[in-house]
Amino acid sequence: MTTKKFISPVYNVIPVHHSRIQANTYNPNAVAPPEMKLLEKSIWEDGYTMPIVCYYNEDEEVYEIVDGYHRYTTLLTSKRIMERENGMLPVSVIAKNESERIASTIRHNRARGEHDVSLMSNIVAELVESGMSDAWIMKNIGMDADELLRLKQVSGIVSLFKDSEFNKAWE
């Protein structure tokens, strides 16, 4: 018996106009506004580095999103990205039934994980020690001032606070 060789869908990415793509009805993932802003910046600065994963619905002749809804909505809401990409998105197509697509969506969402606080603290320390300002770090990594302060505190490295101004509450 011969088994068919599996080829990962990412090797067959195709450009699809956004008007032929639709969201699924079951994605439980939500992204907070600061992360959406960072996603827009990431796509603007780096381009689309990951395709939208879709199922092709032959009956409706549309691509239904399995993973990448927020990359898709970023195209729809960012005029500059829409113009640069000519309304097109990179799509990787999977052929699965609805239950398998739902499972795939959940796996994609959960596999992204969370950032480790100590590793993020080390990254912040390296950036500060290399001369990057707090403003640069917040802008380019998508942090607010409170998060940056907490990560500096976690590091325990006093030098990270050398240029900080503190109020006189402790006097």
PDB file of all heavy atoms in Angstrom, residues 29-61:
ATOM      1  N   ASN A  29     -10.943  33.602  20.146  1.00  0.00           N
ATOM      2  CA  ASN A  29      -9.799  34.451  20.447  1.00  0.00           C
ATOM      3  C   ASN A  29     -10.153  35.924  20.333  1.00  0.00           C
ATOM      4  O   ASN A  29     -10.822  36.346  19.393  1.00  0.00           O
ATOM      5  CB  ASN A  29      -8.655  34.116  19.487  1.00  0.00           C
ATOM      6  CG  ASN A  29      -7.338  34.704  19.906  1.00  0.00           C
ATOM      7  OD1 ASN A  29      -7.129  35.012  21.069  1.00  0.00           O
ATOM      8  ND2 ASN A  29      -6.435  34.860  18.957  1.00  0.00           N
ATOM      9  N   ALA A  30      -9.684  36.694  21.294  1.00  0.00           N
ATOM     10  CA  ALA A  30      -9.852  38.147  21.262  1.00  0.00           C
ATOM     11  C   ALA A  30      -8.487  38.769  21.514  1.00  0.00           C
ATOM     12  O   ALA A  30      -7.683  38.228  22.265  1.00  0.00           O
ATOM     13  CB  ALA A  30     -10.841  38.589  22.326  1.00  0.00           C
ATOM     14  N   VAL A  31      -8.229  39.884  20.878  1.00  0.00           N
ATOM     15  CA  VAL A  31      -6.962  40.584  21.049  1.00  0.00           C
ATOM     16  C   VAL A  31      -7.274  41.991  21.547  1.00  0.00           C
ATOM     17  O   VAL A  31      -8.107  42.694  20.978  1.00  0.00           O
ATOM     18  CB  VAL A  31      -6.166  40.635  19.720  1.00  0.00           C
ATOM     19  CG1 VAL A  31      -4.895  41.453  19.868  1.00  0.00           C
ATOM     20  CG2 VAL A  31      -5.833  39.221  19.249  1.00  0.00           C
ATOM     21  N   ALA A  32      -6.591  42.383  22.613  1.00  0.00           N
ATOM     22  CA  ALA A  32      -6.794  43.708  23.214  1.00  0.00           C
ATOM     23  C   ALA A  32      -6.280  44.796  22.272  1.00  0.00           C
ATOM     24  O   ALA A  32      -5.375  44.559  21.461  1.00  0.00           O
ATOM     25  CB  ALA A  32      -6.076  43.767  24.549  1.00  0.00           C
ATOM     26  N   PRO A  33      -6.846  46.005  22.387  1.00  0.00           N
ATOM     27  CA  PRO A  33      -6.433  47.106  21.506  1.00  0.00           C
ATOM     28  C   PRO A  33      -4.924  47.378  21.457  1.00  0.00           C
ATOM     29  O   PRO A  33      -4.396  47.605  20.362  1.00  0.00           O
ATOM     30  CB  PRO A  33      -7.211  48.306  22.057  1.00  0.00           C
ATOM     31  CG  PRO A  33      -8.452  47.688  22.628  1.00  0.00           C
ATOM     32  CD  PRO A  33      -7.990  46.380  23.224  1.00  0.00           C
ATOM     33  N   PRO A  34      -4.184  47.339  22.586  1.00  0.00           N
ATOM     34  CA  PRO A  34      -2.742  47.592  22.461  1.00  0.00           C
ATOM     35  C   PRO A  34      -2.033  46.555  21.586  1.00  0.00           C
ATOM     36  O   PRO A  34      -1.140  46.899  20.808  1.00  0.00           O
ATOM     37  CB  PRO A  34      -2.233  47.518  23.900  1.00  0.00           C
ATOM     38  CG  PRO A  34      -3.420  47.792  24.747  1.00  0.00           C
ATOM     39  CD  PRO A  34      -4.584  47.224  23.992  1.00  0.00           C
ATOM     40  N   GLU A  35      -2.457  45.289  21.694  1.00  0.00           N
ATOM     41  CA  GLU A  35      -1.838  44.249  20.879  1.00  0.00           C
ATOM     42  C   GLU A  35      -2.252  44.374  19.415  1.00  0.00           C
ATOM     43  O   GLU A  35      -1.468  44.077  18.515  1.00  0.00           O
ATOM     44  CB  GLU A  35      -2.166  42.857  21.429  1.00  0.00           C
ATOM     45  CG  GLU A  35      -1.369  42.493  22.667  1.00  0.00           C
ATOM     46  CD  GLU A  35      -1.812  43.180  23.949  1.00  0.00           C
ATOM     47  OE1 GLU A  35      -2.976  43.654  24.014  1.00  0.00           O
ATOM     48  OE2 GLU A  35      -1.004  43.258  24.884  1.00  0.00           O
ATOM     49  N   MET A  36      -3.482  44.833  19.174  1.00  0.00           N
ATOM     50  CA  MET A  36      -3.903  45.058  17.789  1.00  0.00           C
ATOM     51  C   MET A  36      -3.083  46.195  17.169  1.00  0.00           C
ATOM     52  O   MET A  36      -2.698  46.116  16.001  1.00  0.00           O
ATOM     53  CB  MET A  36      -5.405  45.383  17.707  1.00  0.00           C
ATOM     54  CG  MET A  36      -6.294  44.182  17.888  1.00  0.00           C
ATOM     55  SD  MET A  36      -6.032  42.862  16.664  1.00  0.00           S
ATOM     56  CE  MET A  36      -6.533  43.658  15.140  1.00  0.00           C
ATOM     57  N   LYS A  37      -2.819  47.211  17.964  1.00  0.00           N
ATOM     58  CA  LYS A  37      -1.986  48.318  17.479  1.00  0.00           C
ATOM     59  C   LYS A  37      -0.580  47.810  17.158  1.00  0.00           C
ATOM     60  O   LYS A  37       0.011  48.181  16.145  1.00  0.00           O
ATOM     61  CB  LYS A  37      -1.940  49.418  18.541  1.00  0.00           C
ATOM     62  CG  LYS A  37      -1.295  50.689  18.087  1.00  0.00           C
ATOM     63  CD  LYS A  37      -1.429  51.773  19.145  1.00  0.00           C
ATOM     64  CE  LYS A  37      -0.753  53.046  18.676  1.00  0.00           C
ATOM     65  NZ  LYS A  37      -0.829  54.111  19.663  1.00  0.00           N
ATOM     66  N   LEU A  38      -0.064  46.940  18.015  1.00  0.00           N
ATOM     67  CA  LEU A  38       1.256  46.358  17.774  1.00  0.00           C
ATOM     68  C   LEU A  38       1.243  45.453  16.546  1.00  0.00           C
ATOM     69  O   LEU A  38       2.196  45.447  15.762  1.00  0.00           O
ATOM     70  CB  LEU A  38       1.729  45.576  19.004  1.00  0.00           C
ATOM     71  CG  LEU A  38       3.134  44.986  18.918  1.00  0.00           C
ATOM     72  CD1 LEU A  38       4.185  46.071  18.697  1.00  0.00           C
ATOM     73  CD2 LEU A  38       3.435  44.188  20.177  1.00  0.00           C
ATOM     74  N   LEU A  39       0.161  44.714  16.343  1.00  0.00           N
ATOM     75  CA  LEU A  39       0.044  43.870  15.157  1.00  0.00           C
ATOM     76  C   LEU A  39       0.064  44.729  13.896  1.00  0.00           C
ATOM     77  O   LEU A  39       0.743  44.402  12.919  1.00  0.00           O
ATOM     78  CB  LEU A  39      -1.232  43.028  15.212  1.00  0.00           C
ATOM     79  CG  LEU A  39      -1.492  42.132  14.003  1.00  0.00           C
ATOM     80  CD1 LEU A  39      -0.364  41.127  13.803  1.00  0.00           C
ATOM     81  CD2 LEU A  39      -2.831  41.416  14.171  1.00  0.00           C
ATOM     82  N   GLU A  40      -0.644  45.852  13.926  1.00  0.00           N
ATOM     83  CA  GLU A  40      -0.649  46.750  12.763  1.00  0.00           C
ATOM     84  C   GLU A  40       0.761  47.264  12.509  1.00  0.00           C
ATOM     85  O   GLU A  40       1.233  47.289  11.367  1.00  0.00           O
ATOM     86  CB  GLU A  40      -1.622  47.917  12.998  1.00  0.00           C
ATOM     87  CG  GLU A  40      -1.991  48.677  11.720  1.00  0.00           C
ATOM     88  CD  GLU A  40      -1.043  49.789  11.319  1.00  0.00           C
ATOM     89  OE1 GLU A  40      -0.165  50.179  12.134  1.00  0.00           O
ATOM     90  OE2 GLU A  40      -1.147  50.283  10.177  1.00  0.00           O
ATOM     91  N   LYS A  41       1.461  47.645  13.564  1.00  0.00           N
ATOM     92  CA  LYS A  41       2.842  48.126  13.413  1.00  0.00           C
ATOM     93  C   LYS A  41       3.736  47.015  12.868  1.00  0.00           C
ATOM     94  O   LYS A  41       4.550  47.241  11.979  1.00  0.00           O
ATOM     95  CB  LYS A  41       3.382  48.625  14.746  1.00  0.00           C
ATOM     96  CG  LYS A  41       4.823  49.137  14.664  1.00  0.00           C
ATOM     97  CD  LYS A  41       5.288  49.712  15.967  1.00  0.00           C
ATOM     98  CE  LYS A  41       6.698  50.215  15.935  1.00  0.00           C
ATOM     99  NZ  LYS A  41       7.055  51.086  14.831  1.00  0.00           N
ATOM    100  N   SER A  42       3.577  45.822  13.393  1.00  0.00           N
ATOM    101  CA  SER A  42       4.376  44.687  12.940  1.00  0.00           C
ATOM    102  C   SER A  42       4.159  44.420  11.457  1.00  0.00           C
ATOM    103  O   SER A  42       5.117  44.235  10.700  1.00  0.00           O
ATOM    104  CB  SER A  42       4.016  43.440  13.762  1.00  0.00           C
ATOM    105  OG  SER A  42       4.669  42.308  13.253  1.00  0.00           O
ATOM    106  N   ILE A  43       2.907  44.404  11.032  1.00  0.00           N
ATOM    107  CA  ILE A  43       2.615  44.155   9.615  1.00  0.00           C
ATOM    108  C   ILE A  43       3.123  45.307   8.759  1.00  0.00           C
ATOM    109  O   ILE A  43       3.649  45.095   7.661  1.00  0.00           O
ATOM    110  CB  ILE A  43       1.107  43.885   9.392  1.00  0.00           C
ATOM    111  CG1 ILE A  43       0.723  42.555  10.060  1.00  0.00           C
ATOM    112  CG2 ILE A  43       0.763  43.874   7.910  1.00  0.00           C
ATOM    113  CD1 ILE A  43      -0.769  42.292  10.119  1.00  0.00           C
ATOM    114  N   TRP A  44       3.013  46.533   9.258  1.00  0.00           N
ATOM    115  CA  TRP A  44       3.511  47.681   8.503  1.00  0.00           C
ATOM    116  C   TRP A  44       5.040  47.620   8.380  1.00  0.00           C
ATOM    117  O   TRP A  44       5.599  47.814   7.307  1.00  0.00           O
ATOM    118  CB  TRP A  44       3.085  48.993   9.139  1.00  0.00           C
ATOM    119  CG  TRP A  44       3.620  50.165   8.379  1.00  0.00           C
ATOM    120  CD1 TRP A  44       4.588  51.041   8.781  1.00  0.00           C
ATOM    121  CD2 TRP A  44       3.244  50.573   7.058  1.00  0.00           C
ATOM    122  NE1 TRP A  44       4.839  51.969   7.788  1.00  0.00           N
ATOM    123  CE2 TRP A  44       4.023  51.704   6.724  1.00  0.00           C
ATOM    124  CE3 TRP A  44       2.332  50.100   6.119  1.00  0.00           C
ATOM    125  CZ2 TRP A  44       3.915  52.358   5.502  1.00  0.00           C
ATOM    126  CZ3 TRP A  44       2.218  50.758   4.900  1.00  0.00           C
ATOM    127  CH2 TRP A  44       2.999  51.871   4.606  1.00  0.00           C
ATOM    128  N   GLU A  45       5.711  47.331   9.475  1.00  0.00           N
ATOM    129  CA  GLU A  45       7.173  47.321   9.485  1.00  0.00           C
ATOM    130  C   GLU A  45       7.768  46.087   8.804  1.00  0.00           C
ATOM    131  O   GLU A  45       8.782  46.187   8.120  1.00  0.00           O
ATOM    132  CB  GLU A  45       7.692  47.386  10.929  1.00  0.00           C
ATOM    133  CG  GLU A  45       7.344  48.665  11.661  1.00  0.00           C
ATOM    134  CD  GLU A  45       8.113  49.884  11.174  1.00  0.00           C
ATOM    135  OE1 GLU A  45       9.242  49.726  10.674  1.00  0.00           O
ATOM    136  OE2 GLU A  45       7.563  51.002  11.296  1.00  0.00           O
ATOM    137  N   ASP A  46       7.156  44.922   9.036  1.00  0.00           N
ATOM    138  CA  ASP A  46       7.739  43.661   8.573  1.00  0.00           C
ATOM    139  C   ASP A  46       7.007  43.020   7.406  1.00  0.00           C
ATOM    140  O   ASP A  46       7.500  42.052   6.833  1.00  0.00           O
ATOM    141  CB  ASP A  46       7.770  42.644   9.723  1.00  0.00           C
ATOM    142  CG  ASP A  46       8.520  43.170  10.932  1.00  0.00           C
ATOM    143  OD1 ASP A  46       9.523  43.882  10.754  1.00  0.00           O
ATOM    144  OD2 ASP A  46       8.097  42.871  12.062  1.00  0.00           O
ATOM    145  N   GLY A  47       5.820  43.504   7.075  1.00  0.00           N
ATOM    146  CA  GLY A  47       4.993  42.861   6.059  1.00  0.00           C
ATOM    147  C   GLY A  47       4.276  41.659   6.650  1.00  0.00           C
ATOM    148  O   GLY A  47       4.399  41.351   7.834  1.00  0.00           O
ATOM    149  N   TYR A  48       3.506  40.977   5.839  1.00  0.00           N
ATOM    150  CA  TYR A  48       2.849  39.748   6.275  1.00  0.00           C
ATOM    151  C   TYR A  48       3.887  38.647   6.249  1.00  0.00           C
ATOM    152  O   TYR A  48       4.368  38.272   5.181  1.00  0.00           O
ATOM    153  CB  TYR A  48       1.658  39.402   5.376  1.00  0.00           C
ATOM    154  CG  TYR A  48       0.411  40.159   5.747  1.00  0.00           C
ATOM    155  CD1 TYR A  48       0.101  41.375   5.152  1.00  0.00           C
ATOM    156  CD2 TYR A  48      -0.449  39.672   6.725  1.00  0.00           C
ATOM    157  CE1 TYR A  48      -1.026  42.078   5.509  1.00  0.00           C
ATOM    158  CE2 TYR A  48      -1.582  40.372   7.095  1.00  0.00           C
ATOM    159  CZ  TYR A  48      -1.866  41.575   6.484  1.00  0.00           C
ATOM    160  OH  TYR A  48      -2.988  42.269   6.857  1.00  0.00           O
ATOM    161  N   THR A  49       4.260  38.161   7.416  1.00  0.00           N
ATOM    162  CA  THR A  49       5.274  37.114   7.503  1.00  0.00           C
ATOM    163  C   THR A  49       4.653  35.741   7.713  1.00  0.00           C
ATOM    164  O   THR A  49       5.350  34.739   7.608  1.00  0.00           O
ATOM    165  CB  THR A  49       6.261  37.402   8.650  1.00  0.00           C
ATOM    166  OG1 THR A  49       5.527  37.490   9.871  1.00  0.00           O
ATOM    167  CG2 THR A  49       7.017  38.700   8.399  1.00  0.00           C
ATOM    168  N   MET A  50       3.363  35.718   8.023  1.00  0.00           N
ATOM    169  CA  MET A  50       2.642  34.454   8.183  1.00  0.00           C
ATOM    170  C   MET A  50       1.346  34.545   7.382  1.00  0.00           C
ATOM    171  O   MET A  50       0.648  35.556   7.439  1.00  0.00           O
ATOM    172  CB  MET A  50       2.300  34.196   9.655  1.00  0.00           C
ATOM    173  CG  MET A  50       3.527  34.012  10.511  1.00  0.00           C
ATOM    174  SD  MET A  50       3.224  33.445  12.198  1.00  0.00           S
ATOM    175  CE  MET A  50       1.672  34.129  12.649  1.00  0.00           C
ATOM    176  N   PRO A  51       1.040  33.501   6.641  1.00  0.00           N
ATOM    177  CA  PRO A  51      -0.203  33.542   5.866  1.00  0.00           C
ATOM    178  C   PRO A  51      -1.427  33.380   6.760  1.00  0.00           C
ATOM    179  O   PRO A  51      -1.340  32.919   7.890  1.00  0.00           O
ATOM    180  CB  PRO A  51      -0.062  32.340   4.928  1.00  0.00           C
ATOM    181  CG  PRO A  51       0.832  31.399   5.652  1.00  0.00           C
ATOM    182  CD  PRO A  51       1.774  32.254   6.454  1.00  0.00           C
ATOM    183  N   ILE A  52      -2.565  33.774   6.228  1.00  0.00           N
ATOM    184  CA  ILE A  52      -3.847  33.497   6.844  1.00  0.00           C
ATOM    185  C   ILE A  52      -4.167  32.045   6.490  1.00  0.00           C
ATOM    186  O   ILE A  52      -4.045  31.655   5.333  1.00  0.00           O
ATOM    187  CB  ILE A  52      -4.958  34.420   6.268  1.00  0.00           C
ATOM    188  CG1 ILE A  52      -4.544  35.893   6.274  1.00  0.00           C
ATOM    189  CG2 ILE A  52      -6.281  34.188   6.967  1.00  0.00           C
ATOM    190  CD1 ILE A  52      -4.183  36.463   7.594  1.00  0.00           C
ATOM    191  N   VAL A  53      -4.542  31.250   7.475  1.00  0.00           N
ATOM    192  CA  VAL A  53      -4.893  29.851   7.212  1.00  0.00           C
ATOM    193  C   VAL A  53      -6.391  29.801   6.938  1.00  0.00           C
ATOM    194  O   VAL A  53      -7.191  30.302   7.732  1.00  0.00           O
ATOM    195  CB  VAL A  53      -4.532  28.937   8.403  1.00  0.00           C
ATOM    196  CG1 VAL A  53      -4.928  27.493   8.117  1.00  0.00           C
ATOM    197  CG2 VAL A  53      -3.044  29.043   8.722  1.00  0.00           C
ATOM    198  N   CYS A  54      -6.763  29.226   5.807  1.00  0.00           N
ATOM    199  CA  CYS A  54      -8.172  29.197   5.408  1.00  0.00           C
ATOM    200  C   CYS A  54      -8.588  27.821   4.901  1.00  0.00           C
ATOM    201  O   CYS A  54      -7.755  27.004   4.498  1.00  0.00           O
ATOM    202  CB  CYS A  54      -8.427  30.202   4.278  1.00  0.00           C
ATOM    203  SG  CYS A  54      -8.279  31.929   4.729  1.00  0.00           S
ATOM    204  N   TYR A  55      -9.884  27.640   4.901  1.00  0.00           N
ATOM    205  CA  TYR A  55     -10.538  26.496   4.265  1.00  0.00           C
ATOM    206  C   TYR A  55     -11.251  27.073   3.057  1.00  0.00           C
ATOM    207  O   TYR A  55     -11.922  28.110   3.160  1.00  0.00           O
ATOM    208  CB  TYR A  55     -11.537  25.879   5.244  1.00  0.00           C
ATOM    209  CG  TYR A  55     -12.560  24.976   4.595  1.00  0.00           C
ATOM    210  CD1 TYR A  55     -12.208  23.695   4.189  1.00  0.00           C
ATOM    211  CD2 TYR A  55     -13.864  25.408   4.382  1.00  0.00           C
ATOM    212  CE1 TYR A  55     -13.150  22.867   3.591  1.00  0.00           C
ATOM    213  CE2 TYR A  55     -14.801  24.588   3.788  1.00  0.00           C
ATOM    214  CZ  TYR A  55     -14.433  23.320   3.389  1.00  0.00           C
ATOM    215  OH  TYR A  55     -15.361  22.501   2.792  1.00  0.00           O
ATOM    216  N   TYR A  56     -11.133  26.426   1.897  1.00  0.00           N
ATOM    217  CA  TYR A  56     -11.837  26.934   0.721  1.00  0.00           C
ATOM    218  C   TYR A  56     -13.222  26.305   0.643  1.00  0.00           C
ATOM    219  O   TYR A  56     -13.372  25.089   0.517  1.00  0.00           O
ATOM    220  CB  TYR A  56     -11.058  26.656  -0.570  1.00  0.00           C
ATOM    221  CG  TYR A  56     -11.753  27.246  -1.777  1.00  0.00           C
ATOM    222  CD1 TYR A  56     -11.871  28.623  -1.905  1.00  0.00           C
ATOM    223  CD2 TYR A  56     -12.304  26.433  -2.747  1.00  0.00           C
ATOM    224  CE1 TYR A  56     -12.530  29.177  -3.000  1.00  0.00           C
ATOM    225  CE2 TYR A  56     -12.951  26.972  -3.844  1.00  0.00           C
ATOM    226  CZ  TYR A  56     -13.064  28.345  -3.965  1.00  0.00           C
ATOM    227  OH  TYR A  56     -13.713  28.889  -5.049  1.00  0.00           O
ATOM    228  N   ASN A  57     -14.230  27.157   0.724  1.00  0.00           N
ATOM    229  CA  ASN A  57     -15.622  26.731   0.628  1.00  0.00           C
ATOM    230  C   ASN A  57     -16.020  26.810  -0.848  1.00  0.00           C
ATOM    231  O   ASN A  57     -16.280  27.902  -1.363  1.00  0.00           O
ATOM    232  CB  ASN A  57     -16.509  27.631   1.489  1.00  0.00           C
ATOM    233  CG  ASN A  57     -17.959  27.231   1.470  1.00  0.00           C
ATOM    234  OD1 ASN A  57     -18.464  26.728   0.477  1.00  0.00           O
ATOM    235  ND2 ASN A  57     -18.638  27.487   2.579  1.00  0.00           N
ATOM    236  N   GLU A  58     -16.040  25.670  -1.504  1.00  0.00           N
ATOM    237  CA  GLU A  58     -16.327  25.628  -2.943  1.00  0.00           C
ATOM    238  C   GLU A  58     -17.738  26.103  -3.269  1.00  0.00           C
ATOM    239  O   GLU A  58     -17.956  26.756  -4.298  1.00  0.00           O
ATOM    240  CB  GLU A  58     -16.117  24.212  -3.484  1.00  0.00           C
ATOM    241  CG  GLU A  58     -14.669  23.790  -3.483  1.00  0.00           C
ATOM    242  CD  GLU A  58     -14.473  22.396  -4.059  1.00  0.00           C
ATOM    243  OE1 GLU A  58     -15.345  21.913  -4.811  1.00  0.00           O
ATOM    244  OE2 GLU A  58     -13.437  21.795  -3.741  1.00  0.00           O
ATOM    245  N   ASP A  59     -18.720  25.775  -2.409  1.00  0.00           N
ATOM    246  CA  ASP A  59     -20.114  26.163  -2.669  1.00  0.00           C
ATOM    247  C   ASP A  59     -20.276  27.681  -2.736  1.00  0.00           C
ATOM    248  O   ASP A  59     -20.994  28.197  -3.586  1.00  0.00           O
ATOM    249  CB  ASP A  59     -21.051  25.595  -1.598  1.00  0.00           C
ATOM    250  CG  ASP A  59     -21.091  24.075  -1.606  1.00  0.00           C
ATOM    251  OD1 ASP A  59     -20.782  23.472  -2.666  1.00  0.00           O
ATOM    252  OD2 ASP A  59     -21.423  23.495  -0.559  1.00  0.00           O
ATOM    253  N   GLU A  60     -19.610  28.386  -1.828  1.00  0.00           N
ATOM    254  CA  GLU A  60     -19.734  29.854  -1.776  1.00  0.00           C
ATOM    255  C   GLU A  60     -18.580  30.570  -2.475  1.00  0.00           C
ATOM    256  O   GLU A  60     -18.597  31.803  -2.590  1.00  0.00           O
ATOM    257  CB  GLU A  60     -19.830  30.308  -0.319  1.00  0.00           C
ATOM    258  CG  GLU A  60     -21.084  29.796   0.385  1.00  0.00           C
ATOM    259  CD  GLU A  60     -21.163  30.251   1.829  1.00  0.00           C
ATOM    260  OE1 GLU A  60     -20.657  31.348   2.147  1.00  0.00           O
ATOM    261  OE2 GLU A  60     -21.750  29.504   2.642  1.00  0.00           O
ATOM    262  N   GLU A  61     -17.587  29.794  -2.886  1.00  0.00           N
ATOM    263  CA  GLU A  61     -16.395  30.339  -3.536  1.00  0.00           C
ATOM    264  C   GLU A  61     -15.715  31.409  -2.679  1.00  0.00           C
ATOM    265  O   GLU A  61     -15.321  32.468  -3.161  1.00  0.00           O
ATOM    266  CB  GLU A  61     -16.731  30.881  -4.928  1.00  0.00           C
ATOM    267  CG  GLU A  61     -17.197  29.793  -5.880  1.00  0.00           C
ATOM    268  CD  GLU A  61     -17.466  30.303  -7.281  1.00  0.00           C
ATOM    269  OE1 GLU A  61     -17.476  31.535  -7.511  1.00  0.00           O
ATOM    270  OE2 GLU A  61     -17.668  29.452  -8.170  1.00  0.00           O
TER     271      GLU A  61
END
